[in-house]
Amino acid sequence: MMKRSLSLAALSLAAVLTLSACGADDGSTAGADTGSTDTSSSAPAAPATSAPGGASPSGDATASTRSDPAADEHNAADVMFAQMMLPHHEQAVEMSELMLGKDGVSPEIADLASRIKAAQGPEMDTMESWLETWDSPMGGEDGHGMGSMGSDSGSMGNMDGMGTGGMGTDGMGMGGMMSEDQMAELESADAPEASRMFLESMTAHHEGAIDMARTEIDNGEYPDALAMAETIVETQQAEIEEMKGLLADL
C-alpha cells in the first residue's frame, strides 16, 4: 500500500511539473509572437527612391514641362506679327508722348493719348520677350519690318485721304505709319493743328494695326499672340470710333 501511495504521489508531481513547463513554453511563445508583431508594425517605412544625383524626379519633369512653351508653339506668322507690330506700337507711343507734352491740348485728347501709351508700352515689352524666346530679330532687322508688308496686308496701304496739311494722300506709310517729316510736323505744330493731325494720323495708324492683327488671327499659332491680336482689334476699333467723334468736335 505504501508503495502504491508513493507511485501515485510521484505521478502527481510529474503531472504538475509537466503542466508548469507547458505554461512556461506557451508564455515564451506568446511573448515571442507579440514581440515579432510589434516589431513589424513599428518598423519605419522604406525611404522613397531618389532620382540619380539626388534630384527629385518630379522636379526634372516640371522643369522640362516649363521650358519655354513659347518656343514650340509659334509659327512664321507669329514672328512677323511681333516684328511688324513693334515699330508700329513704338511710333504710336511716340505720337502720344508728343501730344502729352503740348500745352492747350483738350483733356479728352490728352486722355486718349495717355491710354494709348499705357496700353501699347507693355505690349511692346511682351512682343520683345517673344522674339527673344524665339531667337528672332526685332522688327526691321532682317527685312521683315514695316516695309515688307506689301499687298498681302489687305488695306494697310490704302490710307488715302486720311491726312491734312503735311499728311496728304501720299504721306501715310504702310500700316498707317508716319514718316519722319510728318512726325517733325506733329512735333512743331501748335495744339489745335497738332490735335487734328494726331487724330487723323492715329486713326490711320489704328486701322493699319487692326489689319495686322487680323492677319495674325487668321494665320498665327501662338496663343498669347492670338490673344493680343484680338485685344488690338477690339480696343483700337473702339478708339477709332472715339477719334471720329473728337474730330467732329474740333
Side-chain angles (χ1 to χ4, degrees):
M1 177 68 73
M2 181 177 266
K3 265 177 137 182
R4 185 174 179 186
S5 296
L6 287 172
S7 297
L8 288 174
L11 287 172
S12 298
L13 179 60
V16 170
L17 290 174
T18 300
L19 289 174
S20 297
C22 289
D25 287 343
D26 289 343
S28 63
T29 302
D33 290 343
T34 303
S36 172
T37 303
D38 291 343
T39 302
S40 172
S41 62
S42 61
T49 304
S50 298
S56 167
S58 61
D60 287 346
T62 302
S64 174
T65 303
R66 295 178 181 173
S67 61
D68 275 332
D72 302 324
E73 299 177 5
H74 76 285
N75 61 16
D78 299 316
V79 175
M80 180 71 76
F81 171 70
Q83 287 176 329
M84 292 169 62
M85 196 64 79
L86 260 175
H88 203 269
H89 271 30
E90 183 178 8
Q91 188 177 80
V93 170
E94 186 178 352
M95 292 166 66
S96 299
E97 288 175 341
L98 287 176
M99 293 306 295
L100 292 170
K102 291 183 181 295
D103 294 327
V105 174
S106 72
E108 293 81 7
I109 293 177
D111 177 65
L112 172 64
S114 295
R115 282 185 277 122
I116 290 172
K117 179 181 177 181
Q120 298 195 24
E123 287 177 346
M124 289 169 60
D125 294 337
T126 298
M127 288 185 285
E128 286 177 355
S129 72
W130 294 344
L131 291 172
E132 289 175 2
T133 299
W134 299 335
D135 196 24
S136 299
M138 300 299 163
E141 293 180 19
D142 64 346
H144 292 295
M146 297 303 300
S148 65
M149 292 166 68
S151 58
D152 290 341
S153 300
S155 61
M156 278 190 259
N158 300 323
M159 302 298 177
D160 294 352
M162 291 306 302
T164 59
M167 315 294 290
T169 31
D170 295 330
M172 205 63 65
M174 284 291 186
M177 293 281 284
M178 296 176 70
S179 68
E180 290 183 9
D181 289 343
Q182 291 164 350
M183 289 294 292
E185 289 180 27
L186 179 63
E187 183 176 11
S188 62
D190 60 15
E193 179 62 17
S195 295
R196 184 174 299 278
M197 292 171 65
F198 174 77
L199 292 172
E200 290 175 341
S201 301
M202 191 62 81
T203 296
H205 209 271
H206 274 22
E207 288 174 345
I210 289 172
D211 282 337
M212 286 190 283
R214 285 176 175 155
T215 298
E216 166 64 12
I217 292 169
D218 290 340
N219 302 310
E221 181 178 304
Y222 183 50
D224 288 357
L226 293 171
M228 180 183 288
E230 290 172 354
T231 298
I232 287 172
V233 170
E234 180 180 352
T235 302
Q236 297 199 19
Q237 187 59 55
E239 288 174 347
I240 287 173
E241 299 305 315
E242 180 181 355
M243 289 188 284
K244 288 179 180 178
L246 291 172
L247 270 170
D249 293 338
L250 289 180

